[in-house]
Amino acid sequence: MTKLLLTLLIAVQGTGLPSGALESNGAPDLVIKASRVLVGNGDVLEDAIIHVRDGKIVAVGKGIAIPADARILDLEGSTVMPGMVESLASAGLPGGSAENEEGREHTASLRISQAIDAHHASLTRKRNEGVTSLAVHPGGRNVTGGVVCWVKPRGAAGADLVARDDIALRISLGRDPAAGHGGGRGRGGSALLKRRPNSRMSTLFEVRQQLQRAVTYGRRRERDPEIPPNPDYDLTLRALAGKIPVYWLARSENDIRAALRIAAEFGITRNVILEGHQADRCAAELSAAKVPVFVGPLFHPQYRGGGRRPSAADEPVIDPLQHAHLHDHDHEPVKEVCLLGCDKDHEHVTCGNPDHVHDETWLTCLGHDCCAMGGYAPPTDVHYPAFTALHLWKTGVDCAFARGGDRDGERLLDFARFAVRHGLPAPRAIQMVTLDPARILGIDDRVGSIAVGKDADLVVFNGDPLAPTSAVTLVVIDGEIVRDQKEKTR
Amino acid sequence: MSLRSLVLVVLIIGGAALGPVAAQNLLVTNARVITMAGDDLPQGNVLIKDGKVVAVGVDVSAPGVPTLDAKGKVVMPGFVLADTQGGLSRPNEMMPITPYVSVLDAIDAGKPFFEDSLRDGHLTLCIMPGDRAAIAGVGRVVRPWGLTVESMTIDKDPGMRMSMAPTAGNRAAWIARIRASFEDARRHLEKKKRGEQKPGEKTGTLTLDLKAMGVEKRRVAMSRMLEGELQAWVNCATAGDVVQALRLAKEFGLKMKLVLGPGTWRAADLVKKSGLPVILKASVILRETDPDSGKEVERNLAKILHDKGVKFAITTDTTTFGRRYLWYQAACLVRYGLPRQDALAAITTTPAKIIGLGDRKGSLAKDKDGDLLVFTSDPLSGRAWVDQAVIGGRIVYERKNDPRLAEIFGNGAK
């Protein structure tokens, strides 16, 4: 293992900008001395110094000259790594959860950046676990949800946390945009929200139709500039022209293939797959098309024992292990329990609407939130996304971890920890929560690694970050200490 | 034969290959031994004879005993899960007072939970009914090895699950129902002591005597608690629940164990004063938002109790990965600031003591049960796998013969 740890003696003075080349804004420089520095690109520096001025890293390495008035943090025994980059978050949104505009199916021009609440505790939580950059997404309940933004959870009062508001256009495939469209909760098929799409086919039809309409609109605008502008189409056209990437929520293999197909049909050149649980099944195609994949969550919400009820929006994740469990012993027929007379072993109280179709895998009503399940704890031996990541990495698909949760065991760094347990090399695992997501998001010019000229976004651990026993002791964003373990109220 | 039985048979035969199953003798050699009874051995041997640990030490040898070379690996006692609903088919009774039911009838030996328990090293499992009923039924301590609940059983009735957190109606009514049940049982007991007991009426057992059905079936089970024969495992979600539980314990002379959720942190002093055994639910962190400032504060029950000097066991139910990885729970405790040895105790010696098996489980010392785990590396490193699980001197699990791991890793365990 330690063979992999390259002790790079990055040029003693050479890498630093010449002293005095940057005029300081008055705040003293910050100098961090640490026993180990994980650079983020796989390199490891032992007993190194990080010199920060005006929120930027101005030097990294050994034997760097320290300005006399600098504030020195001597973190003997600690490991410093770049602030983590969470690529699929809803933190900072009202309620800290998904923000959905459901008035229309296509809201491509809506910028989620406008809904960010700088003071929301969900941002503080992410920051405290060492996440210093987040790509905040619109919710998945309509097909083209809007524009993803990049947020730095600095937490400064009233400060604008949005570093960039045009990271990508998000398109959601699969069941998410179809969820809830068949009818309202418990009201059969008579609800106001009854509209298209309510099937996977229809969702894909919607995507194509929207793209085609944008193309037609573009042509008409060229011919006749008097046509009133349509911001949704304008944004879609930017995506078609490759000026902004398209992020496809596509968990299952068929959705991923559909995303690739539609991208090819319309000549969309910049594509990223979100939550690609089954991306390993089309690794060759993804690799050939140079489409990166965000993998996560590592533990699918459905695997929480006795916890949250699976929602219709969740995709089944099929893996051999899971299959064996489900098909061999979890399907004792308990017909009297289910009001619908289905033969699955689940204790649920359904809405009683015979029109609702049951999902065979997840034992819940498809597209309906009306079936309450009690005591249903699905088998849990699934780290499928960990294997997906491993496979994608082996087959040369660009991938990173994303969509960490807020609890121990489901955080972004836990993905790296468990992936290492399952065979991913440690330096790579660190990279997949720092530099790799930054590069895929297109923000690696500023964040993702500890390098001269980049933002001083750092996390300090009291041991190896990949050991589950290690705790975050310090978080620095833009050169400012935003969390100090000592100050934490217990 | 279902795949489940097949897997079990493969696991069992895989284990048996090393020696005759009946012998239950095993010598594990050259391992770093975490004994949980005194200091660790940097390199030592563990000798098990007739299912019991005979010796742990550097110079232990036993010619003719099957030997398992664990060079470069870490050996430690099997983990003890002090409170779980795993392995149950539908753990929750919806009626609030059902002390007469037992998990005996709900444990499904075919559940993947038991297989996973071997993989994760959870070798002693105290299975309790769910916590949705006020008085929810009797639990059972089992090992995750065997094809029937009878063959898996270690202890028939460790205790009765109770829950102070109402799942229906208001809190006062919930507590009143519990109290009424105890009062009724107490009257019944007193009647019995005065000799007014009807002939043929049985108490003190769970025998399905037809005459003891109806109201009697409840009294029978409740009497056992009043007589101190059955301990109460009381689920508390808030500090108020702890107060109520302690009041009940005093009023009815109940022997009690507290199963605490993070919301009980305000009652930490009470918990300490009570001196009752404490089991922590899997999730120990409570986030509270100050209504005025909107600031969120994290309360860590494990850290709060540890700082007050309260020893506790920790469980796995309701974690993000289901009921797995007690080692991860212990690693989290270290992350929260507990010393390593205390964190390990929370998944070995302390839970063993709490479930009444302190003299048999939880540590590797002379005369204890021959239950141990061979880890590929330090169990808290986050990278370790259980290579072998040994119960009573039998190797009951071997990773290299684990068919499911072979399935996902392609060609056998890596």
Side-chain angles (χ1 to χ4, degrees):
Chain A
M1 195 66 251
T2 46
K3 297 274 188 289
L4 284 169
L5 307 177
L6 300 170
T7 309
L8 285 190
L9 298 176
I10 284 193
V12 180
Q13 304 277 8
T15 51
L17 296 179
S19 202
L22 285 172
E23 280 302 314
S24 175
N25 65 0
D29 290 6
L30 180 68
V31 170
I32 296 175
K33 295 179 177 178
S35 296
R36 287 176 82 215
V37 174
L38 311 184
V39 176
N41 60 1
D43 294 346
V44 178
L45 310 177
E46 306 281 350
D47 293 317
I49 288 172
I50 304 168
H51 182 183
V52 175
R53 179 179 294 161
D54 298 340
K56 299 279 181 191
I57 297 164
V58 290
V60 190
K62 284 193 177 198
I64 290 164
I66 300 168
D69 62 339
R71 180 180 174 195
I72 297 171
L73 287 178
D74 197 347
L75 305 171
E76 173 96 42
S78 294
T79 301
V80 182
M81 66 178 270
M84 284 177 272
V85 180
E86 169 60 90
S87 310
L88 212 178
S90 51
L93 296 177
S97 60
E99 177 86 345
N100 284 294
E101 172 53 52
E102 292 192 76
R104 284 177 291 139
E105 208 47 71
H106 299 285
T107 52
S109 62
L110 293 192
R111 284 172 194 249
I112 199 68
S113 56
Q114 290 159 357
I116 299 291
D117 171 6
H119 303 280
H120 202 276
S122 54
L123 284 174
T124 320
R125 273 177 231 151
K126 291 289 177 200
R127 185 181 81 203
N128 288 353
E129 67 173 83
V131 171
T132 56
S133 280
L134 301 121
V136 180
H137 289 237
R141 291 292 284 268
N142 52 357
V143 176
T144 42
V147 184
V148 178
C149 74
W150 167 25
V151 167
K152 282 192 155 195
R154 275 189 303 261
D160 186 7
L161 309 183
V162 178
R164 255 181 61 193
D165 71 345
D166 60 345
I167 292 291
L169 169 65
R170 168 164 163 144
I171 295 180
S172 301
L173 303 185
R175 229 176 275 159
D176 291 42
H181 285 182
R185 294 174 186 205
R187 292 198 197 118
S190 61
L192 293 170
L193 286 173
K194 186 156 184 159
R195 60 180 173 130
R196 216 173 43 203
N198 46 41
S199 72
R200 174 175 269 121
M201 300 176 289
S202 196
T203 302
L204 295 173
F205 170 80
E206 282 287 338
V207 178
R208 285 200 177 88
Q209 177 173 261
Q210 173 72 2
L211 293 172
Q212 192 54 53
R213 280 180 176 162
V215 171
T216 312
Y217 156 88
R219 287 193 194 128
R220 284 178 60 208
R221 283 269 290 174
E222 265 176 36
R223 285 199 303 270
D224 180 3
E226 295 300 309
I227 290 174
N230 179 321
D232 287 338
Y233 289 152
D234 284 334
L235 204 123
T236 311
L237 284 175
R238 284 188 64 199
L240 286 167
K243 287 176 189 153
I244 181 170
V246 178
Y247 284 9
W248 304 83
L249 177 71
R251 301 189 184 98
S252 61
E253 180 189 359
N254 54 0
D255 280 340
I256 296 169
R257 289 190 190 278
L260 294 177
R261 199 179 303 133
I262 294 174
E265 284 168 17
F266 287 88
I268 302 172
T269 50
R270 296 168 68 194
N271 302 283
V272 174
I273 302 293
L274 303 173
E275 293 188 46
H277 294 310
Q278 294 182 351
D280 54 326
R281 298 184 183 184
C282 28
E285 291 85 343
L286 288 164
S287 180
K290 293 196 164 50
V291 173
V293 180
F294 283 121
V295 182
L298 192 60
F299 297 95
H300 208 260
Q302 278 152 351
Y303 304 132
R304 287 173 188 166
R308 152 188 177 281
R309 165 169 60 100
S311 87
D314 292 322
E315 288 296 326
V317 178
I318 309 298
D319 91 333
L321 210 63
Q322 179 77 0
H323 253 346
H325 285 174
L326 276 174
H327 294 303
D328 283 327
H329 11 265
D330 269 23
H331 281 188
E332 305 128 335
V334 201
K335 286 187 182 171
E336 72 277 14
V337 182
C338 179
L339 296 178
L340 302 183
C342 74
D343 60 356
K344 305 301 179 206
D345 174 18
H346 53 289
E347 310 164 46
H348 63 192
V349 184
T350 71
C351 54
N353 186 336
D355 293 332
H356 291 183
V357 183
H358 273 80
D359 180 338
E360 290 201 347
T361 314
W362 294 111
L363 318 174
T364 183
C365 282
L366 270 186
H368 305 280
D369 286 331
C370 46
C371 295
M373 299 173 71
Y376 170 64
T380 55
D381 193 2
V382 178
H383 314 115
Y384 192 67
F387 289 101
T388 307
L390 203 60
H391 188 79
L392 292 179
W393 168 70
K394 280 183 183 165
T395 47
V397 178
D398 199 3
C399 64
F401 292 120
R403 206 185 154 198
D406 271 345
R407 302 197 301 175
D408 283 322
E410 64 184 38
R411 298 175 199 271
L412 188 62
L413 186 58
D414 287 315
F415 295 1
R417 286 168 174 162
F418 275 91
V420 167
R421 182 169 187 258
H422 287 81
L424 191 71
R428 188 73 204 182
I430 291 288
Q431 202 174 324
M432 278 172 68
V433 292
T434 55
L435 190 57
D436 287 346
R439 196 191 62 250
I440 295 171
L441 291 172
I443 58 176
D444 57 327
D445 55 330
R446 280 185 53 192
V447 297
S449 63
I450 300 176
V452 172
K454 286 204 184 186
D455 295 3
D457 296 353
L458 310 165
V459 197
V460 182
F461 286 85
N462 59 4
D464 174 10
L466 289 173
T469 45
S470 302
V472 172
T473 54
L474 202 71
V475 181
V476 175
I477 299 182
D478 291 332
E480 267 178 61
I481 295 170
V482 289
R483 188 220 188 187
D484 192 335
Q485 175 69 31
K486 289 193 291 280
E487 295 164 9
K488 192 185 154 205
T489 324
R490 191 184 62 218
Chain B
M1 183 185 270
S2 72
L3 179 59
R4 156 72 192 178
S5 335
L6 189 72
V7 166
L8 256 182
V9 167
V10 170
L11 289 177
I12 293 165
I13 292 173
L18 230 126
V21 167
Q24 297 175 34
N25 295 338
L26 185 68
L27 178 66
V28 184
T29 59
N30 300 319
R32 176 154 81 83
V33 186
I34 301 172
T35 62
M36 296 311 294
D39 293 337
D40 296 357
L41 302 177
Q43 185 156 348
N45 302 348
V46 181
L47 176 62
I48 300 168
K49 275 195 169 167
D50 296 327
K52 297 276 179 190
V53 175
V54 175
V56 182
V58 184
D59 305 320
V60 176
S61 64
V65 171
T67 302
L68 175 64
D69 187 5
K71 195 165 171 52
K73 295 179 185 171
V74 180
V75 164
M76 71 173 296
F79 298 151
V80 182
L81 202 43
D83 184 348
T84 180
Q85 295 165 34
L88 292 177
S89 179
R90 286 193 263 162
N92 284 293
E93 177 52 61
M94 290 303 171
M95 288 186 288
I97 311 283
T98 56
Y100 42 81
V101 302
S102 166
V103 296
L104 165 68
D105 302 314
I107 290 175
D108 176 357
K111 285 268 181 193
F113 168 75
F114 295 109
E115 244 180 75
D116 286 341
S117 294
L118 286 177
R119 261 177 218 120
D120 298 338
H122 310 168
L123 299 189
T124 305
L125 311 163
C126 182
I127 300 181
M128 299 298 284
D131 48 21
R132 292 187 62 82
I135 304 178
V138 178
R140 187 165 269 247
V141 182
V142 301
R143 58 180 76 86
W145 191 71
L147 290 171
T148 63
V149 63
E150 286 80 8
S151 66
M152 293 159 75
T153 299
I154 300 171
D155 182 3
K156 273 196 279 193
D157 39 22
M160 174 81 71
R161 159 79 85 214
M162 288 175 57
S163 180
M164 308 308 288
T167 49
N170 71 26
R171 190 168 293 266
W174 188 264
I175 306 289
R177 283 188 103 143
I178 296 176
R179 183 162 280 123
S181 300
F182 278 115
E183 276 165 357
D184 178 63
R186 185 148 69 182
R187 275 196 303 275
H188 170 74
L189 260 187
E190 281 163 3
K191 215 163 85 179
K192 185 182 134 194
K193 277 179 197 149
R194 288 199 304 268
E196 290 170 26
Q197 188 191 356
K198 286 180 233 113
E201 198 175 4
K202 281 196 174 181
T203 55
T205 72
L206 275 177
T207 312
L208 284 181
D209 182 344
L210 282 179
K211 283 179 189 161
M213 294 301 276
V215 173
E216 295 309 318
K217 67 185 175 182
R218 196 155 68 210
R219 288 178 181 157
V220 169
M222 301 294 285
S223 307
R224 296 182 69 210
M225 292 175 81
L226 292 175
E227 288 172 323
E229 209 183 303
L230 261 187
Q231 303 221 0
W233 297 53
V234 186
N235 175 54
C236 301
T238 65
D241 290 348
V242 176
V243 175
Q244 293 294 348
L246 296 178
R247 203 173 282 165
L248 277 181
K250 201 174 155 198
E251 213 172 308
F252 295 100
L254 303 177
K255 287 186 185 164
M256 199 173 265
K257 300 167 198 304
L258 298 173
V259 183
L260 304 179
T264 60
W265 71 272
R266 279 193 174 83
D269 283 324
L270 270 181
V271 170
K272 182 182 165 61
K273 212 177 120 197
S274 76
L276 294 176
V278 175
I279 300 166
L280 297 192
K281 296 193 162 203
S283 188
V284 300
I285 291 176
L286 179 76
R287 297 197 176 104
E288 290 181 314
T289 306
D290 184 304
D292 294 327
S293 69
K295 277 241 163 66
E296 195 175 70
V297 183
E298 273 188 14
R299 312 285 180 184
N300 188 323
L301 180 65
K303 186 78 170 73
I304 291 171
L305 288 177
H306 173 76
D307 289 348
K308 291 190 187 301
V310 178
K311 284 232 178 307
F312 53 79
I314 193 160
T315 56
T316 59
D317 279 29
T318 73
T319 53
T320 186
F321 22 73
R323 304 189 161 97
R324 306 205 54 185
Y325 311 138
L326 256 179
W327 54 262
Y328 184 86
Q329 295 294 88
C332 282
L333 293 179
V334 174
R335 195 193 308 163
Y336 304 150
L338 267 72
R340 175 188 158 90
Q341 206 58 20
D342 288 4
L344 285 174
I347 60 172
T348 53
T349 47
T350 310
K353 222 173 283 167
I354 289 177
I355 64 175
L357 295 171
D359 54 339
R360 289 177 59 188
K361 311 284 183 188
S363 63
L364 292 175
K366 194 170 178 325
D367 297 333
K368 293 253 183 160
D369 287 4
D371 294 2
L372 61 80
L373 306 169
V374 181
F375 273 100
T376 51
S377 59
D378 190 88
L380 300 190
S381 69
R383 301 177 193 187
W385 292 80
V386 173
D387 255 356
Q388 279 97 7
V390 175
I391 293 181
R394 291 189 188 98
I395 299 177
V396 293
Y397 169 81
E398 280 205 272
R399 190 163 67 108
K400 67 176 192 312
N401 296 331
D402 186 333
R404 291 210 202 286
L405 286 187
E407 219 173 332
I408 50 178
F409 279 113
N411 49 356
K414 74 197 166 78

